[in-house]
Amino acid sequence: MDSVLDFSAPVAPVNIGLASPAIDPEAQALALAAQYHNADAQTVLRAALSLYKGGIALVSSFGAESAALLHMVAEIDRATPVIFLDTGRLFSQTLLYRNELARRLGLTDLRTASPRQALVQQEDPDRLLAYSNPDMCCWIRKVDPLDTALEPFSAWITGRKRHQASTRAALLPFEADAGRIKVNPLADWTGKDVTDYLERHDLPPHPLVADGYPSIGCMPCTSRVAEGEDARAGRWRGKSKVECGIHVSPEKAGSGI
């Protein structure tokens, strides 16, 4: 990762025709991944925001590492839609952090996606589903609301990184998923890259990081991480689950829906 960021640099040349609806998303993703496989995060992000302008959104959890990508997007275009999933089971600190970052970065199109309350009442009336069937809980509270929120967009940006999980080890800067382009500008970043970026730009940390939460999701499925443990060890602790389901197929997520 470059130590000096130049957001005034011209956007790398891209084939605007790739964004045509006539071109299959799989073909778009393959071409873009090949073109940008060695590009840095800023170049990937600027290219994506230019290529899919008006049809791209950033999906952010406003978690432990989210400020870096949110800051990059805000430096390029603060009007970029940012989708936040309010599952109804988040830490209150996350909601406060979202508000603080949005104000600080000047985000002008922050959208909140929430689960369908009728579905929540039907499947999780006692709010215990996270313990008995976390895959179903994630589908109701994350996957389904995001599917709806992404309907107006042909592309979306994630903060996923290869080092985070075995399911992300082969992550490319551009992917095709459910008929859309998924952009992963931070695919090759390490935890240190994120920390360095946050410090260099004086970005506030999520308040729970100092309390032992290096990876933050919903309250029932997030625990503190001991020294020496993997940063995501506190997510769905004691279960084989490593993804909420947003980034895997329903069959693999085990939603049952």
PDB file of all heavy atoms in Angstrom, residues 121-157:
ATOM      1  N   GLN A 121     -40.830 -11.010  13.413  1.00  0.00           N
ATOM      2  CA  GLN A 121     -41.840 -11.498  14.348  1.00  0.00           C
ATOM      3  C   GLN A 121     -42.194 -12.949  14.083  1.00  0.00           C
ATOM      4  O   GLN A 121     -42.458 -13.724  15.018  1.00  0.00           O
ATOM      5  CB  GLN A 121     -43.094 -10.621  14.248  1.00  0.00           C
ATOM      6  CG  GLN A 121     -42.934  -9.252  14.861  1.00  0.00           C
ATOM      7  CD  GLN A 121     -42.599  -9.330  16.345  1.00  0.00           C
ATOM      8  OE1 GLN A 121     -43.190 -10.111  17.100  1.00  0.00           O
ATOM      9  NE2 GLN A 121     -41.633  -8.528  16.774  1.00  0.00           N
ATOM     10  N   GLN A 122     -42.171 -13.333  12.828  1.00  0.00           N
ATOM     11  CA  GLN A 122     -42.514 -14.705  12.462  1.00  0.00           C
ATOM     12  C   GLN A 122     -41.413 -15.686  12.850  1.00  0.00           C
ATOM     13  O   GLN A 122     -41.688 -16.767  13.386  1.00  0.00           O
ATOM     14  CB  GLN A 122     -42.756 -14.783  10.954  1.00  0.00           C
ATOM     15  CG  GLN A 122     -43.004 -16.208  10.435  1.00  0.00           C
ATOM     16  CD  GLN A 122     -43.139 -16.231   8.928  1.00  0.00           C
ATOM     17  OE1 GLN A 122     -43.756 -15.359   8.321  1.00  0.00           O
ATOM     18  NE2 GLN A 122     -42.551 -17.243   8.292  1.00  0.00           N
ATOM     19  N   GLU A 123     -40.156 -15.317  12.583  1.00  0.00           N
ATOM     20  CA  GLU A 123     -39.042 -16.256  12.752  1.00  0.00           C
ATOM     21  C   GLU A 123     -38.265 -16.077  14.055  1.00  0.00           C
ATOM     22  O   GLU A 123     -37.590 -17.011  14.496  1.00  0.00           O
ATOM     23  CB  GLU A 123     -38.070 -16.115  11.565  1.00  0.00           C
ATOM     24  CG  GLU A 123     -38.684 -16.370  10.205  1.00  0.00           C
ATOM     25  CD  GLU A 123     -39.073 -17.828  10.014  1.00  0.00           C
ATOM     26  OE1 GLU A 123     -38.592 -18.699  10.778  1.00  0.00           O
ATOM     27  OE2 GLU A 123     -39.861 -18.105   9.084  1.00  0.00           O
ATOM     28  N   ASP A 124     -38.346 -14.887  14.658  1.00  0.00           N
ATOM     29  CA  ASP A 124     -37.539 -14.626  15.851  1.00  0.00           C
ATOM     30  C   ASP A 124     -38.313 -13.817  16.888  1.00  0.00           C
ATOM     31  O   ASP A 124     -37.861 -12.769  17.350  1.00  0.00           O
ATOM     32  CB  ASP A 124     -36.260 -13.880  15.441  1.00  0.00           C
ATOM     33  CG  ASP A 124     -35.236 -13.798  16.561  1.00  0.00           C
ATOM     34  OD1 ASP A 124     -35.339 -14.594  17.523  1.00  0.00           O
ATOM     35  OD2 ASP A 124     -34.320 -12.945  16.465  1.00  0.00           O
ATOM     36  N   PRO A 125     -39.493 -14.286  17.280  1.00  0.00           N
ATOM     37  CA  PRO A 125     -40.323 -13.505  18.210  1.00  0.00           C
ATOM     38  C   PRO A 125     -39.695 -13.323  19.590  1.00  0.00           C
ATOM     39  O   PRO A 125     -39.948 -12.316  20.249  1.00  0.00           O
ATOM     40  CB  PRO A 125     -41.618 -14.315  18.286  1.00  0.00           C
ATOM     41  CG  PRO A 125     -41.200 -15.718  17.957  1.00  0.00           C
ATOM     42  CD  PRO A 125     -40.125 -15.573  16.923  1.00  0.00           C
ATOM     43  N   ASP A 126     -38.878 -14.287  20.020  1.00  0.00           N
ATOM     44  CA  ASP A 126     -38.274 -14.195  21.351  1.00  0.00           C
ATOM     45  C   ASP A 126     -36.830 -13.681  21.309  1.00  0.00           C
ATOM     46  O   ASP A 126     -36.154 -13.646  22.334  1.00  0.00           O
ATOM     47  CB  ASP A 126     -38.311 -15.554  22.054  1.00  0.00           C
ATOM     48  CG  ASP A 126     -37.688 -16.670  21.215  1.00  0.00           C
ATOM     49  OD1 ASP A 126     -37.073 -16.358  20.156  1.00  0.00           O
ATOM     50  OD2 ASP A 126     -37.799 -17.840  21.598  1.00  0.00           O
ATOM     51  N   ARG A 127     -36.365 -13.310  20.109  1.00  0.00           N
ATOM     52  CA  ARG A 127     -35.008 -12.761  19.918  1.00  0.00           C
ATOM     53  C   ARG A 127     -33.912 -13.736  20.356  1.00  0.00           C
ATOM     54  O   ARG A 127     -32.839 -13.332  20.801  1.00  0.00           O
ATOM     55  CB  ARG A 127     -34.860 -11.425  20.661  1.00  0.00           C
ATOM     56  CG  ARG A 127     -35.725 -10.327  20.083  1.00  0.00           C
ATOM     57  CD  ARG A 127     -35.809  -9.111  20.999  1.00  0.00           C
ATOM     58  NE  ARG A 127     -34.519  -8.476  21.220  1.00  0.00           N
ATOM     59  CZ  ARG A 127     -33.997  -7.528  20.448  1.00  0.00           C
ATOM     60  NH1 ARG A 127     -34.650  -7.125  19.359  1.00  0.00           N
ATOM     61  NH2 ARG A 127     -32.843  -6.963  20.748  1.00  0.00           N
ATOM     62  N   LEU A 128     -34.164 -15.016  20.197  1.00  0.00           N
ATOM     63  CA  LEU A 128     -33.186 -16.037  20.567  1.00  0.00           C
ATOM     64  C   LEU A 128     -32.648 -16.798  19.348  1.00  0.00           C
ATOM     65  O   LEU A 128     -31.863 -17.725  19.492  1.00  0.00           O
ATOM     66  CB  LEU A 128     -33.802 -17.032  21.552  1.00  0.00           C
ATOM     67  CG  LEU A 128     -34.208 -16.459  22.919  1.00  0.00           C
ATOM     68  CD1 LEU A 128     -34.889 -17.531  23.752  1.00  0.00           C
ATOM     69  CD2 LEU A 128     -32.987 -15.894  23.648  1.00  0.00           C
ATOM     70  N   LEU A 129     -33.070 -16.402  18.162  1.00  0.00           N
ATOM     71  CA  LEU A 129     -32.690 -17.126  16.951  1.00  0.00           C
ATOM     72  C   LEU A 129     -31.182 -17.119  16.727  1.00  0.00           C
ATOM     73  O   LEU A 129     -30.623 -18.077  16.181  1.00  0.00           O
ATOM     74  CB  LEU A 129     -33.403 -16.517  15.733  1.00  0.00           C
ATOM     75  CG  LEU A 129     -33.280 -17.273  14.408  1.00  0.00           C
ATOM     76  CD1 LEU A 129     -33.890 -18.666  14.514  1.00  0.00           C
ATOM     77  CD2 LEU A 129     -33.958 -16.474  13.290  1.00  0.00           C
ATOM     78  N   ALA A 130     -30.506 -16.064  17.154  1.00  0.00           N
ATOM     79  CA  ALA A 130     -29.058 -15.978  16.970  1.00  0.00           C
ATOM     80  C   ALA A 130     -28.328 -17.127  17.646  1.00  0.00           C
ATOM     81  O   ALA A 130     -27.251 -17.540  17.203  1.00  0.00           O
ATOM     82  CB  ALA A 130     -28.541 -14.647  17.514  1.00  0.00           C
ATOM     83  N   TYR A 131     -28.926 -17.670  18.703  1.00  0.00           N
ATOM     84  CA  TYR A 131     -28.285 -18.752  19.444  1.00  0.00           C
ATOM     85  C   TYR A 131     -28.637 -20.131  18.880  1.00  0.00           C
ATOM     86  O   TYR A 131     -27.811 -21.045  18.886  1.00  0.00           O
ATOM     87  CB  TYR A 131     -28.687 -18.678  20.919  1.00  0.00           C
ATOM     88  CG  TYR A 131     -28.424 -17.323  21.532  1.00  0.00           C
ATOM     89  CD1 TYR A 131     -29.465 -16.410  21.715  1.00  0.00           C
ATOM     90  CD2 TYR A 131     -27.141 -16.934  21.894  1.00  0.00           C
ATOM     91  CE1 TYR A 131     -29.226 -15.159  22.259  1.00  0.00           C
ATOM     92  CE2 TYR A 131     -26.891 -15.684  22.444  1.00  0.00           C
ATOM     93  CZ  TYR A 131     -27.942 -14.793  22.619  1.00  0.00           C
ATOM     94  OH  TYR A 131     -27.706 -13.556  23.152  1.00  0.00           O
ATOM     95  N   SER A 132     -29.861 -20.280  18.382  1.00  0.00           N
ATOM     96  CA  SER A 132     -30.294 -21.592  17.890  1.00  0.00           C
ATOM     97  C   SER A 132     -30.028 -21.788  16.406  1.00  0.00           C
ATOM     98  O   SER A 132     -29.757 -22.906  15.959  1.00  0.00           O
ATOM     99  CB  SER A 132     -31.798 -21.776  18.155  1.00  0.00           C
ATOM    100  OG  SER A 132     -32.555 -20.791  17.461  1.00  0.00           O
ATOM    101  N   ASN A 133     -30.091 -20.719  15.625  1.00  0.00           N
ATOM    102  CA  ASN A 133     -29.882 -20.819  14.182  1.00  0.00           C
ATOM    103  C   ASN A 133     -29.299 -19.494  13.669  1.00  0.00           C
ATOM    104  O   ASN A 133     -29.994 -18.675  13.074  1.00  0.00           O
ATOM    105  CB  ASN A 133     -31.204 -21.124  13.473  1.00  0.00           C
ATOM    106  CG  ASN A 133     -31.009 -21.497  12.011  1.00  0.00           C
ATOM    107  OD1 ASN A 133     -29.960 -21.234  11.424  1.00  0.00           O
ATOM    108  ND2 ASN A 133     -32.022 -22.103  11.416  1.00  0.00           N
ATOM    109  N   PRO A 134     -28.002 -19.270  13.898  1.00  0.00           N
ATOM    110  CA  PRO A 134     -27.401 -17.990  13.514  1.00  0.00           C
ATOM    111  C   PRO A 134     -27.446 -17.730  12.013  1.00  0.00           C
ATOM    112  O   PRO A 134     -27.516 -16.570  11.593  1.00  0.00           O
ATOM    113  CB  PRO A 134     -25.959 -18.093  14.029  1.00  0.00           C
ATOM    114  CG  PRO A 134     -25.715 -19.558  14.206  1.00  0.00           C
ATOM    115  CD  PRO A 134     -27.034 -20.151  14.586  1.00  0.00           C
ATOM    116  N   ASP A 135     -27.424 -18.793  11.197  1.00  0.00           N
ATOM    117  CA  ASP A 135     -27.511 -18.586   9.755  1.00  0.00           C
ATOM    118  C   ASP A 135     -28.855 -17.969   9.366  1.00  0.00           C
ATOM    119  O   ASP A 135     -28.923 -17.047   8.560  1.00  0.00           O
ATOM    120  CB  ASP A 135     -27.329 -19.912   9.010  1.00  0.00           C
ATOM    121  CG  ASP A 135     -25.889 -20.404   9.020  1.00  0.00           C
ATOM    122  OD1 ASP A 135     -24.983 -19.551   9.029  1.00  0.00           O
ATOM    123  OD2 ASP A 135     -25.675 -21.620   9.035  1.00  0.00           O
ATOM    124  N   MET A 136     -29.924 -18.486   9.943  1.00  0.00           N
ATOM    125  CA  MET A 136     -31.248 -17.933   9.667  1.00  0.00           C
ATOM    126  C   MET A 136     -31.357 -16.501  10.180  1.00  0.00           C
ATOM    127  O   MET A 136     -31.922 -15.624   9.509  1.00  0.00           O
ATOM    128  CB  MET A 136     -32.325 -18.799  10.323  1.00  0.00           C
ATOM    129  CG  MET A 136     -33.739 -18.264  10.168  1.00  0.00           C
ATOM    130  SD  MET A 136     -34.382 -18.450   8.497  1.00  0.00           S
ATOM    131  CE  MET A 136     -34.968 -20.154   8.573  1.00  0.00           C
ATOM    132  N   CYS A 137     -30.794 -16.266  11.355  1.00  0.00           N
ATOM    133  CA  CYS A 137     -30.839 -14.922  11.936  1.00  0.00           C
ATOM    134  C   CYS A 137     -30.133 -13.921  11.025  1.00  0.00           C
ATOM    135  O   CYS A 137     -30.639 -12.833  10.769  1.00  0.00           O
ATOM    136  CB  CYS A 137     -30.194 -14.937  13.320  1.00  0.00           C
ATOM    137  SG  CYS A 137     -30.407 -13.396  14.243  1.00  0.00           S
ATOM    138  N   CYS A 138     -28.964 -14.311  10.520  1.00  0.00           N
ATOM    139  CA  CYS A 138     -28.222 -13.431   9.620  1.00  0.00           C
ATOM    140  C   CYS A 138     -28.992 -13.199   8.318  1.00  0.00           C
ATOM    141  O   CYS A 138     -28.974 -12.098   7.763  1.00  0.00           O
ATOM    142  CB  CYS A 138     -26.855 -14.033   9.302  1.00  0.00           C
ATOM    143  SG  CYS A 138     -25.629 -13.880  10.622  1.00  0.00           S
ATOM    144  N   TRP A 139     -29.669 -14.245   7.840  1.00  0.00           N
ATOM    145  CA  TRP A 139     -30.412 -14.074   6.596  1.00  0.00           C
ATOM    146  C   TRP A 139     -31.540 -13.054   6.787  1.00  0.00           C
ATOM    147  O   TRP A 139     -31.720 -12.163   5.950  1.00  0.00           O
ATOM    148  CB  TRP A 139     -30.999 -15.417   6.138  1.00  0.00           C
ATOM    149  CG  TRP A 139     -31.507 -15.350   4.727  1.00  0.00           C
ATOM    150  CD1 TRP A 139     -30.821 -15.650   3.589  1.00  0.00           C
ATOM    151  CD2 TRP A 139     -32.809 -14.921   4.309  1.00  0.00           C
ATOM    152  NE1 TRP A 139     -31.619 -15.442   2.488  1.00  0.00           N
ATOM    153  CE2 TRP A 139     -32.835 -14.990   2.901  1.00  0.00           C
ATOM    154  CE3 TRP A 139     -33.953 -14.486   4.991  1.00  0.00           C
ATOM    155  CZ2 TRP A 139     -33.963 -14.641   2.153  1.00  0.00           C
ATOM    156  CZ3 TRP A 139     -35.076 -14.135   4.248  1.00  0.00           C
ATOM    157  CH2 TRP A 139     -35.082 -14.212   2.846  1.00  0.00           C
ATOM    158  N   ILE A 140     -32.259 -13.178   7.880  1.00  0.00           N
ATOM    159  CA  ILE A 140     -33.382 -12.276   8.142  1.00  0.00           C
ATOM    160  C   ILE A 140     -32.913 -10.843   8.359  1.00  0.00           C
ATOM    161  O   ILE A 140     -33.515  -9.892   7.842  1.00  0.00           O
ATOM    162  CB  ILE A 140     -34.166 -12.755   9.381  1.00  0.00           C
ATOM    163  CG1 ILE A 140     -34.890 -14.069   9.087  1.00  0.00           C
ATOM    164  CG2 ILE A 140     -35.163 -11.694   9.857  1.00  0.00           C
ATOM    165  CD1 ILE A 140     -35.464 -14.710  10.329  1.00  0.00           C
ATOM    166  N   ARG A 141     -31.834 -10.696   9.104  1.00  0.00           N
ATOM    167  CA  ARG A 141     -31.422  -9.373   9.568  1.00  0.00           C
ATOM    168  C   ARG A 141     -30.374  -8.692   8.698  1.00  0.00           C
ATOM    169  O   ARG A 141     -30.174  -7.479   8.820  1.00  0.00           O
ATOM    170  CB  ARG A 141     -30.903  -9.482  11.011  1.00  0.00           C
ATOM    171  CG  ARG A 141     -31.965  -9.962  11.994  1.00  0.00           C
ATOM    172  CD  ARG A 141     -31.415 -10.117  13.406  1.00  0.00           C
ATOM    173  NE  ARG A 141     -32.424 -10.603  14.338  1.00  0.00           N
ATOM    174  CZ  ARG A 141     -33.347  -9.841  14.930  1.00  0.00           C
ATOM    175  NH1 ARG A 141     -33.364  -8.546  14.691  1.00  0.00           N
ATOM    176  NH2 ARG A 141     -34.241 -10.376  15.762  1.00  0.00           N
ATOM    177  N   LYS A 142     -29.703  -9.464   7.824  1.00  0.00           N
ATOM    178  CA  LYS A 142     -28.655  -8.872   6.987  1.00  0.00           C
ATOM    179  C   LYS A 142     -28.870  -9.141   5.495  1.00  0.00           C
ATOM    180  O   LYS A 142     -28.952  -8.211   4.694  1.00  0.00           O
ATOM    181  CB  LYS A 142     -27.278  -9.401   7.409  1.00  0.00           C
ATOM    182  CG  LYS A 142     -26.817  -8.930   8.775  1.00  0.00           C
ATOM    183  CD  LYS A 142     -25.384  -9.393   9.053  1.00  0.00           C
ATOM    184  CE  LYS A 142     -24.869  -8.853  10.367  1.00  0.00           C
ATOM    185  NZ  LYS A 142     -23.445  -9.243  10.616  1.00  0.00           N
ATOM    186  N   VAL A 143     -28.926 -10.415   5.136  1.00  0.00           N
ATOM    187  CA  VAL A 143     -28.957 -10.773   3.725  1.00  0.00           C
ATOM    188  C   VAL A 143     -30.211 -10.254   3.029  1.00  0.00           C
ATOM    189  O   VAL A 143     -30.142  -9.598   1.979  1.00  0.00           O
ATOM    190  CB  VAL A 143     -28.845 -12.302   3.547  1.00  0.00           C
ATOM    191  CG1 VAL A 143     -28.870 -12.667   2.061  1.00  0.00           C
ATOM    192  CG2 VAL A 143     -27.559 -12.819   4.195  1.00  0.00           C
ATOM    193  N   ASP A 144     -31.361 -10.525   3.602  1.00  0.00           N
ATOM    194  CA  ASP A 144     -32.625 -10.097   2.988  1.00  0.00           C
ATOM    195  C   ASP A 144     -32.744  -8.573   2.895  1.00  0.00           C
ATOM    196  O   ASP A 144     -33.070  -8.051   1.824  1.00  0.00           O
ATOM    197  CB  ASP A 144     -33.800 -10.703   3.774  1.00  0.00           C
ATOM    198  CG  ASP A 144     -35.147 -10.333   3.176  1.00  0.00           C
ATOM    199  OD1 ASP A 144     -35.362 -10.614   1.981  1.00  0.00           O
ATOM    200  OD2 ASP A 144     -35.989  -9.757   3.908  1.00  0.00           O
ATOM    201  N   PRO A 145     -32.451  -7.820   3.964  1.00  0.00           N
ATOM    202  CA  PRO A 145     -32.524  -6.355   3.850  1.00  0.00           C
ATOM    203  C   PRO A 145     -31.537  -5.775   2.843  1.00  0.00           C
ATOM    204  O   PRO A 145     -31.856  -4.816   2.135  1.00  0.00           O
ATOM    205  CB  PRO A 145     -32.208  -5.870   5.269  1.00  0.00           C
ATOM    206  CG  PRO A 145     -32.486  -7.022   6.152  1.00  0.00           C
ATOM    207  CD  PRO A 145     -32.179  -8.243   5.349  1.00  0.00           C
ATOM    208  N   LEU A 146     -30.337  -6.366   2.777  1.00  0.00           N
ATOM    209  CA  LEU A 146     -29.352  -5.851   1.829  1.00  0.00           C
ATOM    210  C   LEU A 146     -29.780  -6.109   0.395  1.00  0.00           C
ATOM    211  O   LEU A 146     -29.586  -5.258  -0.484  1.00  0.00           O
ATOM    212  CB  LEU A 146     -27.981  -6.466   2.090  1.00  0.00           C
ATOM    213  CG  LEU A 146     -26.852  -5.936   1.186  1.00  0.00           C
ATOM    214  CD1 LEU A 146     -26.691  -4.431   1.343  1.00  0.00           C
ATOM    215  CD2 LEU A 146     -25.541  -6.645   1.486  1.00  0.00           C
ATOM    216  N   ASP A 147     -30.369  -7.271   0.142  1.00  0.00           N
ATOM    217  CA  ASP A 147     -30.865  -7.560  -1.205  1.00  0.00           C
ATOM    218  C   ASP A 147     -31.822  -6.462  -1.664  1.00  0.00           C
ATOM    219  O   ASP A 147     -31.769  -6.005  -2.813  1.00  0.00           O
ATOM    220  CB  ASP A 147     -31.579  -8.912  -1.237  1.00  0.00           C
ATOM    221  CG  ASP A 147     -30.618 -10.089  -1.225  1.00  0.00           C
ATOM    222  OD1 ASP A 147     -29.406  -9.878  -1.448  1.00  0.00           O
ATOM    223  OD2 ASP A 147     -31.072 -11.219  -0.970  1.00  0.00           O
ATOM    224  N   THR A 148     -32.684  -6.040  -0.774  1.00  0.00           N
ATOM    225  CA  THR A 148     -33.642  -4.980  -1.110  1.00  0.00           C
ATOM    226  C   THR A 148     -32.944  -3.647  -1.313  1.00  0.00           C
ATOM    227  O   THR A 148     -33.227  -2.907  -2.267  1.00  0.00           O
ATOM    228  CB  THR A 148     -34.701  -4.846  -0.003  1.00  0.00           C
ATOM    229  OG1 THR A 148     -35.401  -6.089   0.131  1.00  0.00           O
ATOM    230  CG2 THR A 148     -35.690  -3.737  -0.318  1.00  0.00           C
ATOM    231  N   ALA A 149     -32.010  -3.328  -0.420  1.00  0.00           N
ATOM    232  CA  ALA A 149     -31.314  -2.038  -0.492  1.00  0.00           C
ATOM    233  C   ALA A 149     -30.462  -1.910  -1.746  1.00  0.00           C
ATOM    234  O   ALA A 149     -30.251  -0.800  -2.254  1.00  0.00           O
ATOM    235  CB  ALA A 149     -30.444  -1.857   0.754  1.00  0.00           C
ATOM    236  N   LEU A 150     -29.980  -3.034  -2.261  1.00  0.00           N
ATOM    237  CA  LEU A 150     -29.105  -3.002  -3.436  1.00  0.00           C
ATOM    238  C   LEU A 150     -29.863  -3.011  -4.768  1.00  0.00           C
ATOM    239  O   LEU A 150     -29.236  -2.899  -5.828  1.00  0.00           O
ATOM    240  CB  LEU A 150     -28.145  -4.194  -3.412  1.00  0.00           C
ATOM    241  CG  LEU A 150     -26.987  -4.116  -2.421  1.00  0.00           C
ATOM    242  CD1 LEU A 150     -26.206  -5.423  -2.414  1.00  0.00           C
ATOM    243  CD2 LEU A 150     -26.059  -2.946  -2.739  1.00  0.00           C
ATOM    244  N   GLU A 151     -31.169  -3.120  -4.717  1.00  0.00           N
ATOM    245  CA  GLU A 151     -31.944  -3.215  -5.959  1.00  0.00           C
ATOM    246  C   GLU A 151     -31.663  -2.085  -6.953  1.00  0.00           C
ATOM    247  O   GLU A 151     -31.607  -2.331  -8.157  1.00  0.00           O
ATOM    248  CB  GLU A 151     -33.438  -3.294  -5.639  1.00  0.00           C
ATOM    249  CG  GLU A 151     -33.865  -4.659  -5.108  1.00  0.00           C
ATOM    250  CD  GLU A 151     -35.346  -4.718  -4.768  1.00  0.00           C
ATOM    251  OE1 GLU A 151     -36.040  -3.679  -4.930  1.00  0.00           O
ATOM    252  OE2 GLU A 151     -35.824  -5.786  -4.348  1.00  0.00           O
ATOM    253  N   PRO A 152     -31.457  -0.832  -6.507  1.00  0.00           N
ATOM    254  CA  PRO A 152     -31.219   0.243  -7.482  1.00  0.00           C
ATOM    255  C   PRO A 152     -29.811   0.250  -8.074  1.00  0.00           C
ATOM    256  O   PRO A 152     -29.531   1.055  -8.963  1.00  0.00           O
ATOM    257  CB  PRO A 152     -31.440   1.521  -6.653  1.00  0.00           C
ATOM    258  CG  PRO A 152     -32.068   1.089  -5.376  1.00  0.00           C
ATOM    259  CD  PRO A 152     -31.603  -0.297  -5.141  1.00  0.00           C
ATOM    260  N   PHE A 153     -28.919  -0.611  -7.590  1.00  0.00           N
ATOM    261  CA  PHE A 153     -27.504  -0.514  -7.951  1.00  0.00           C
ATOM    262  C   PHE A 153     -27.034  -1.694  -8.796  1.00  0.00           C
ATOM    263  O   PHE A 153     -27.492  -2.819  -8.637  1.00  0.00           O
ATOM    264  CB  PHE A 153     -26.651  -0.421  -6.684  1.00  0.00           C
ATOM    265  CG  PHE A 153     -27.030   0.746  -5.805  1.00  0.00           C
ATOM    266  CD1 PHE A 153     -27.815   0.555  -4.673  1.00  0.00           C
ATOM    267  CD2 PHE A 153     -26.619   2.027  -6.127  1.00  0.00           C
ATOM    268  CE1 PHE A 153     -28.178   1.620  -3.872  1.00  0.00           C
ATOM    269  CE2 PHE A 153     -26.976   3.103  -5.330  1.00  0.00           C
ATOM    270  CZ  PHE A 153     -27.753   2.906  -4.205  1.00  0.00           C
ATOM    271  N   SER A 154     -26.078  -1.412  -9.657  1.00  0.00           N
ATOM    272  CA  SER A 154     -25.458  -2.452 -10.470  1.00  0.00           C
ATOM    273  C   SER A 154     -24.105  -2.872  -9.917  1.00  0.00           C
ATOM    274  O   SER A 154     -23.526  -3.857 -10.377  1.00  0.00           O
ATOM    275  CB  SER A 154     -25.293  -1.969 -11.917  1.00  0.00           C
ATOM    276  OG  SER A 154     -24.521  -0.775 -11.969  1.00  0.00           O
ATOM    277  N   ALA A 155     -23.595  -2.125  -8.920  1.00  0.00           N
ATOM    278  CA  ALA A 155     -22.310  -2.455  -8.315  1.00  0.00           C
ATOM    279  C   ALA A 155     -22.303  -1.996  -6.870  1.00  0.00           C
ATOM    280  O   ALA A 155     -23.023  -1.059  -6.505  1.00  0.00           O
ATOM    281  CB  ALA A 155     -21.168  -1.795  -9.092  1.00  0.00           C
ATOM    282  N   TRP A 156     -21.483  -2.675  -6.048  1.00  0.00           N
ATOM    283  CA  TRP A 156     -21.352  -2.239  -4.660  1.00  0.00           C
ATOM    284  C   TRP A 156     -19.946  -2.525  -4.153  1.00  0.00           C
ATOM    285  O   TRP A 156     -19.231  -3.370  -4.668  1.00  0.00           O
ATOM    286  CB  TRP A 156     -22.414  -2.839  -3.760  1.00  0.00           C
ATOM    287  CG  TRP A 156     -22.545  -4.334  -3.693  1.00  0.00           C
ATOM    288  CD1 TRP A 156     -22.914  -5.161  -4.700  1.00  0.00           C
ATOM    289  CD2 TRP A 156     -22.358  -5.164  -2.543  1.00  0.00           C
ATOM    290  NE1 TRP A 156     -22.979  -6.466  -4.248  1.00  0.00           N
ATOM    291  CE2 TRP A 156     -22.636  -6.499  -2.938  1.00  0.00           C
ATOM    292  CE3 TRP A 156     -22.012  -4.923  -1.219  1.00  0.00           C
ATOM    293  CZ2 TRP A 156     -22.564  -7.580  -2.060  1.00  0.00           C
ATOM    294  CZ3 TRP A 156     -21.940  -5.991  -0.338  1.00  0.00           C
ATOM    295  CH2 TRP A 156     -22.207  -7.295  -0.753  1.00  0.00           C
ATOM    296  N   ILE A 157     -19.555  -1.759  -3.121  1.00  0.00           N
ATOM    297  CA  ILE A 157     -18.192  -1.787  -2.598  1.00  0.00           C
ATOM    298  C   ILE A 157     -18.198  -2.414  -1.215  1.00  0.00           C
ATOM    299  O   ILE A 157     -19.052  -2.103  -0.380  1.00  0.00           O
ATOM    300  CB  ILE A 157     -17.638  -0.351  -2.501  1.00  0.00           C
ATOM    301  CG1 ILE A 157     -17.721   0.351  -3.858  1.00  0.00           C
ATOM    302  CG2 ILE A 157     -16.199  -0.351  -1.977  1.00  0.00           C
ATOM    303  CD1 ILE A 157     -17.642   1.872  -3.755  1.00  0.00           C
TER     304      ILE A 157
END
